[in-house]
Coordinates of all heavy atoms in Angstrom, one line a residue:
G302 N 11.6 18.1 -27.4 CA 11.4 18.3 -28.8 C 11.9 19.5 -29.4 O 12.5 19.5 -30.5
G303 N 12.0 20.6 -28.7 CA 12.6 21.8 -29.0 C 14.1 21.7 -29.2 O 14.7 22.3 -30.2
I305 N 15.5 19.1 -30.1 CA 15.8 18.3 -31.3 C 15.5 19.1 -32.6 O 16.0 18.8 -33.7 CB 15.1 17.0 -31.2 CG1 15.5 16.2 -30.0 CG2 15.3 16.1 -32.5 CD1 14.7 14.9 -29.7
G306 N 14.6 20.0 -32.5 CA 14.2 20.8 -33.6 C 12.8 20.9 -34.0 O 12.4 21.3 -35.0
F307 N 11.9 20.4 -33.0 CA 10.5 20.5 -33.3 C 10.1 21.9 -32.8 O 10.3 22.2 -31.7 CB 9.8 19.3 -32.5 CG 10.0 17.9 -33.1 CD1 11.0 17.1 -32.4 CD2 9.3 17.5 -34.1 CE1 11.2 15.8 -32.9 CE2 9.6 16.2 -34.5 CZ 10.4 15.4 -33.9
G308 N 9.3 22.6 -33.6 CA 8.8 23.9 -33.3 C 7.3 23.9 -33.4 O 6.6 23.0 -33.7
A309 N 6.7 25.0 -33.0 CA 5.4 25.2 -33.0 C 4.7 25.1 -34.3 O 3.6 24.9 -34.5 CB 5.0 26.6 -32.3
G310 N 5.5 25.4 -35.3 CA 5.0 25.3 -36.8 C 5.5 24.1 -37.5 O 5.1 24.0 -38.8
G311 N 6.1 23.2 -36.9 CA 6.6 22.0 -37.5 C 8.1 21.9 -37.3 O 8.7 22.7 -36.6
P312 N 8.8 20.9 -38.0 CA 10.2 20.7 -37.8 C 10.9 21.9 -38.4 O 10.6 22.6 -39.3 CB 10.5 19.6 -38.7 CG 9.3 18.8 -38.8 CD 8.1 19.7 -38.7
I313 N 11.9 22.4 -37.6 CA 12.7 23.6 -38.0 C 13.7 23.1 -39.0 O 14.5 22.3 -38.7 CB 13.3 24.2 -36.8 CG1 12.1 24.7 -35.7 CG2 14.1 25.5 -37.1 CD1 12.6 25.0 -34.4
A314 N 13.9 24.0 -40.0 CA 14.8 23.6 -41.1 C 16.3 23.6 -40.6 O 16.7 24.4 -39.8 CB 14.8 24.7 -42.3
G315 N 17.1 22.5 -41.1 CA 18.3 22.4 -40.6 C 18.7 21.8 -39.4 O 19.7 21.6 -38.9
T316 N 17.6 21.3 -38.6 CA 17.8 20.6 -37.4 C 17.7 19.0 -37.6 O 17.3 18.6 -38.5 CB 16.7 21.0 -36.4 OG1 15.3 20.6 -36.9 CG2 16.8 22.6 -36.2
A317 N 18.0 18.4 -36.4 CA 17.9 16.9 -36.4 C 16.4 16.4 -36.7 O 16.2 15.4 -37.5 CB 18.2 16.3 -35.1
A318 N 15.3 17.1 -36.3 CA 13.9 16.8 -36.5 C 13.8 16.8 -38.0 O 13.0 16.0 -38.6 CB 13.1 17.8 -35.8
A319 N 14.3 17.9 -38.7 CA 14.0 18.1 -40.2 C 14.7 16.9 -40.8 O 14.2 16.3 -41.9 CB 14.6 19.4 -40.6
G320 N 16.0 16.5 -40.4 CA 16.7 15.4 -41.0 C 15.9 14.1 -40.8 O 15.8 13.2 -41.8
I321 N 15.4 13.9 -39.7 CA 14.6 12.6 -39.5 C 13.3 12.6 -40.3 O 13.1 11.5 -40.9 CB 14.2 12.6 -37.9 CG1 15.4 12.4 -37.0 CG2 13.2 11.4 -37.6 CD1 15.2 12.6 -35.5
Q322 N 12.7 13.7 -40.4 CA 11.4 13.7 -41.3 C 11.8 13.5 -42.7 O 11.0 12.7 -43.4 CB 10.8 15.0 -41.1 CG 9.4 15.0 -41.9 CD 8.7 16.2 -41.7 OE1 9.1 17.3 -41.3 NE2 7.3 16.2 -42.1
A323 N 13.0 14.1 -43.2 CA 13.3 13.8 -44.6 C 13.7 12.3 -44.7 O 13.4 11.9 -45.8 CB 14.6 14.6 -44.9
G324 N 14.3 11.6 -43.7 CA 14.6 10.3 -43.9 C 13.2 9.4 -43.8 O 13.2 8.3 -44.4
I325 N 12.2 9.8 -43.1 CA 11.1 9.0 -42.9 C 10.2 9.1 -44.2 O 9.7 8.2 -44.7 CB 10.3 9.5 -41.7 CG1 11.0 9.1 -40.3 CG2 8.9 8.9 -41.7 CD1 10.3 9.7 -39.1
G326 N 10.2 10.4 -44.7 CA 9.3 10.6 -45.8 C 7.9 11.0 -45.2 O 7.8 12.0 -44.6
V328 N 5.2 10.9 -42.8 CA 5.0 10.6 -41.5 C 3.6 10.0 -41.2 O 2.7 10.6 -41.4 CB 5.3 11.7 -40.5 CG1 5.2 11.4 -39.1 CG2 6.7 12.2 -40.8
F334 N 7.4 10.1 -34.1 CA 7.7 11.3 -34.7 C 6.5 12.2 -34.6 O 6.5 13.4 -34.2 CB 8.1 11.2 -36.1 CG 8.6 12.5 -36.8 CD1 9.9 12.8 -36.7 CD2 7.7 13.4 -37.4 CE1 10.3 14.0 -37.3 CE2 8.2 14.5 -38.0 CZ 9.6 14.8 -37.9
A335 N 5.3 11.7 -35.0 CA 4.1 12.5 -35.0 C 3.7 12.9 -33.6 O 3.2 14.0 -33.3 CB 2.9 11.8 -35.6
V337 N 5.7 13.3 -30.8 CA 6.6 14.4 -30.3 C 6.3 15.7 -31.1 O 6.2 16.8 -30.4 CB 8.1 13.9 -30.6 CG1 9.0 15.2 -30.2 CG2 8.4 12.8 -29.7
Q338 N 6.0 15.7 -32.3 CA 5.7 16.9 -33.1 C 4.4 17.5 -32.5 O 4.3 18.7 -32.3 CB 5.5 16.7 -34.6 CG 5.1 18.0 -35.3 CD 6.2 19.1 -35.2 OE1 7.5 18.9 -35.4 NE2 5.8 20.1 -34.8
Q339 N 3.4 16.7 -32.3 CA 2.1 17.2 -31.7 C 2.3 17.9 -30.4 O 1.8 18.9 -30.1 CB 1.1 16.1 -31.6 CG -0.2 16.6 -31.1 CD -1.2 15.4 -30.8 OE1 -0.8 14.3 -31.0 NE2 -2.4 15.7 -30.5
A341 N 5.0 19.3 -29.2 CA 5.8 20.5 -29.4 C 4.9 21.6 -29.9 O 5.0 22.6 -29.6 CB 7.0 20.2 -30.4
M342 N 3.9 21.2 -30.7 CA 3.1 22.2 -31.3 C 2.0 22.7 -30.3 O 1.5 23.8 -30.5 CB 2.4 21.6 -32.7 CG 3.4 21.5 -33.7 SD 2.7 20.8 -35.2 CE 2.0 22.2 -35.9

Side-chain angles (χ1 to χ4, degrees):
I305 299 170
F307 291 98
I313 301 167
T316 63
I321 293 168
Q322 185 176 18
I325 293 172
V328 177
F334 186 92
V337 174
Q338 180 59 51
Q339 180 184 8
M342 293 177 80

